[in-house]
Amino acid sequence: MSVLRRCKGAVLDIGCGPGRLVSALRALGHLVLGIDISRAAVARTADTGGAALCRSVFERLPGEGLWNTALLMDGNIGIGGDPPALLERIGSLVFPRGSLLLVEAASQDVDERLRVRFDDGRGRLGMPFPWAGVGVAALRRTAAVTGWQPGEHWSVGDRHFLELKRSAGSRPAHTRHQG
């Protein structure tokens, strides 16, 4: 709830999983869309009445440039294994001024790139894919070079969160292109 209370306007939940935040935000009166690459997760979100698309954040999305708040919870700053590229992409999805990005960062001070695999719970592993682990200090550094201004940092138990803001005239220090 500490994250949900900070959301403003229309919310894009990136890597929404089974849609628990989509449902909670909808109940709070927000227009909200979840995206996830897992068909099962998107189906679960839809089963709870939430709106979700089976899509990568790096694909074309509805309302690009119009979202007021974006969420990267449960370590989803690691999506794609390239946090600067992810933050720059989210910058193109949110409203250019005054928008928020609420990020859950790793509890340790890390900045690492990994290849990980899903475990289906029955001992079968999926194909390796790129991921990143990013703590608050690394997230602040990455935000600064991708057009985001770090705001409030707070913790709930052992979970750490950082608010990033887009303000008038914020531009990334460099531009990265997805190839």
Side-chain angles (χ1 to χ4, degrees):
M1 288 306 295
S2 74
V3 171
L4 302 184
R5 283 192 295 268
R6 287 170 169 83
C7 291
K8 295 178 171 46
V11 180
L12 181 64
D13 185 1
I14 301 164
C16 69
R20 72 186 193 288
L21 299 179
V22 171
S23 295
L25 285 163
R26 194 174 51 114
L28 291 171
H30 288 275
L31 170 67
V32 59
L33 175 66
I35 60 169
D36 203 292
I37 61 168
S38 165
R39 291 187 195 289
V42 169
R44 284 180 137 176
T45 302
D47 287 347
T48 65
L53 295 174
C54 188
R55 208 166 289 175
S56 165
V57 66
F58 295 104
E59 295 178 56
R60 184 120 175 97
L61 296 172
E64 289 196 18
L66 301 176
W67 297 97
N68 303 107
T69 303
L71 298 178
L72 286 173
M73 295 296 108
D74 302 318
N76 285 342
I77 184 65
I79 290 172
D82 186 349
L86 179 60
L87 291 179
E88 287 180 3
R89 171 61 176 142
I90 294 169
S92 73
L93 297 173
V94 297
F95 193 72
R97 289 173 296 177
S99 56
L100 294 175
L101 172 57
L102 301 173
V103 183
E104 182 177 358
S107 58
Q108 317 86 330
D109 187 16
V110 299
D111 190 3
E112 60 187 356
R113 306 303 175 263
L114 313 161
R115 295 211 43 93
V116 298
R117 295 162 33 147
F118 281 116
D119 180 335
D120 72 357
R122 298 184 192 110
R124 292 185 300 248
L125 297 176
M127 296 298 296
F129 58 92
W131 196 257
V134 181
V136 172
L139 182 54
R140 285 180 182 279
R141 287 189 303 272
T142 302
V145 298
T146 56
W148 292 95
Q149 296 178 342
E152 183 182 5
H153 166 222
W154 74 100
S155 299
V156 177
D158 64 349
R159 297 178 77 177
H160 295 267
F161 305 94
L162 184 62
E163 174 186 80
L164 302 177
K165 299 177 182 181
R166 282 301 252 207
S167 58
S170 68
R171 286 206 152 15
H174 66 287
T175 303
R176 300 168 65 94
H177 298 282
Q178 287 293 76

